[in-house]
Amino acid sequence: MKKKIRVLFVIILTGIFLFPVFLTLFRSLLREDLAGTSRLSIVGYYDILVEEAWYLKGFWNSVCYAVVITILNTIVSVPAAYAFREADFRGKGVLYFFYIILMMMPLQVTMLPNYIGLRDMNLLDTRLALILPGIFTPFGVFLMGQYMRGINKSILEAARMETKSIFRIMLYIALPQVKTCIAAMFLFTFAENWNLVEQPQIFLKSEQKQPLSVLLAVQNDTMGTLLAGCVIFMLPVVILYLYFHESLEDGLGSLKL
């Protein structure tokens, strides 16, 4: 009986979550004619992809920001987390604690320091204004650091008998053991930076550099056309989730908190 209740509860929550998604998809296929009658049509998708130049420009801006930030953040986070796992230095615990505090801070708290720093470096209204702060966010270091607590110490000790190169040990011994967590972190980071809203509005003035997540909110096209754009906007994250969902489940299931 308890199992049936849990299954029913999950089904209800899933339905609540998927309802706006299916509603957006359905409304994107509706088109009103001159008589005010709604009919199914893909004209909205044609308009948003062919007639509206701003959409593709914003889409590729989003791709640029999300892909570059995700790749560079992964390159920075993995070695940093490995250093927290293996290196012994004074103040490591305190530094890791500050990482956690910084990660828990609301975005609005960190916006002002980022703005001041970007202003002083003359990077406002440039693509680096979004990319640079995103590279060094603490979430990836925290997630990888917690996951690396489960690395088999005996394997690392055996590797140290073969080589003194920390880089080789990390690359050939540690990383294969945490690849599922790297995939999960990649998905989380991409999804977060695919949906940038506040940062572009503060750090960028030029509409040419704005991501699609901002441009969709300020356009005055018909509802069907904008909803078609929203459906296309959701696809990259959905595709990545379907591709990485097993790694995501394994990574989160093995996470040590």
Side-chain angles (χ1 to χ4, degrees):
M1 184 66 181
K2 291 183 178 179
K3 184 178 180 180
K4 292 181 179 180
I5 294 176
R6 287 197 297 267
V7 171
L8 179 62
F9 182 70
V10 170
I11 292 175
I12 293 174
L13 287 181
T14 303
I16 294 173
F17 173 77
L18 291 179
F19 175 74
V21 177
F22 285 118
L23 181 62
T24 301
L25 177 61
F26 176 72
R27 289 290 304 274
S28 71
L29 295 171
L30 290 181
R31 191 75 171 184
E32 290 188 0
D33 54 25
L34 296 177
T37 304
S38 297
R39 56 185 177 84
L40 293 178
S41 173
I42 60 171
V43 173
Y45 290 90
Y46 173 83
D47 290 342
I48 202 69
L49 292 174
V50 178
E51 300 294 336
E52 304 293 343
W54 62 266
Y55 186 85
L56 289 180
K57 186 175 296 182
F59 182 87
W60 290 115
N61 283 341
S62 292
V63 170
C64 173
Y65 295 135
V67 171
V68 172
I69 292 173
T70 301
I71 292 175
L72 294 180
N73 181 264
T74 302
I75 293 174
V76 170
S77 298
V78 173
Y82 184 74
F84 274 118
R85 169 64 174 78
E86 288 299 305
D88 289 324
F89 56 90
R90 183 177 299 178
K92 182 174 74 171
V94 175
L95 180 60
Y96 194 70
F97 176 75
F98 277 114
Y99 261 83
I100 297 174
I101 294 298
L102 183 61
M103 183 184 67
M104 296 175 63
M105 286 183 177
L107 174 64
Q108 292 77 10
V109 175
T110 60
M111 288 278 284
L112 180 58
N114 284 337
Y115 181 89
I116 294 173
L118 293 170
R119 182 198 62 192
D120 293 343
M121 292 187 292
N122 295 320
L123 292 178
L124 289 177
D125 200 28
T126 67
R127 297 186 188 277
L128 283 176
L130 291 185
I131 294 174
L132 196 59
I135 296 174
F136 301 101
T137 53
F139 173 75
V141 179
F142 170 77
L143 182 65
M144 291 301 306
Q146 294 300 111
Y147 192 86
M148 284 185 178
R149 292 170 60 186
I151 292 179
N152 193 324
K153 292 184 178 180
S154 61
I155 298 178
L156 295 178
E157 292 173 356
R160 292 192 191 99
M161 298 177 64
E162 298 294 331
T163 178
K164 296 297 183 181
S165 173
I166 297 177
F167 177 78
R168 292 184 63 186
I169 294 174
M170 181 187 70
L171 186 61
Y172 296 108
I173 305 300
L175 291 191
Q177 298 185 59
V178 299
K179 59 183 180 181
T180 55
C181 188
I182 292 176
M185 183 184 70
F186 187 94
L187 178 58
F188 283 134
T189 306
F190 182 90
E192 180 181 0
N193 290 284
W194 183 254
N195 296 293
L196 292 174
V197 176
E198 293 91 347
Q199 300 95 317
Q201 292 178 324
I202 301 297
F203 300 153
L204 301 179
K205 296 180 181 179
S206 173
E207 185 175 320
Q208 302 296 321
K209 300 183 181 72
Q210 294 287 355
L212 188 56
S213 49
V214 172
L215 294 178
L216 280 171
V218 299
Q219 300 300 319
N220 295 317
D221 292 295
T222 62
M223 183 61 67
T225 300
L226 289 177
L227 289 176
C230 291
V231 172
I232 299 173
F233 181 70
M234 290 188 290
L235 288 179
V237 175
V238 173
I239 293 172
L240 279 177
Y241 172 77
L242 293 176
Y243 184 79
F244 284 118
H245 75 279
E246 292 183 359
S247 297
L248 178 63
E249 293 172 3
D250 293 341
L252 294 180
S254 303
L255 185 63
K256 294 181 178 295
L257 297 175

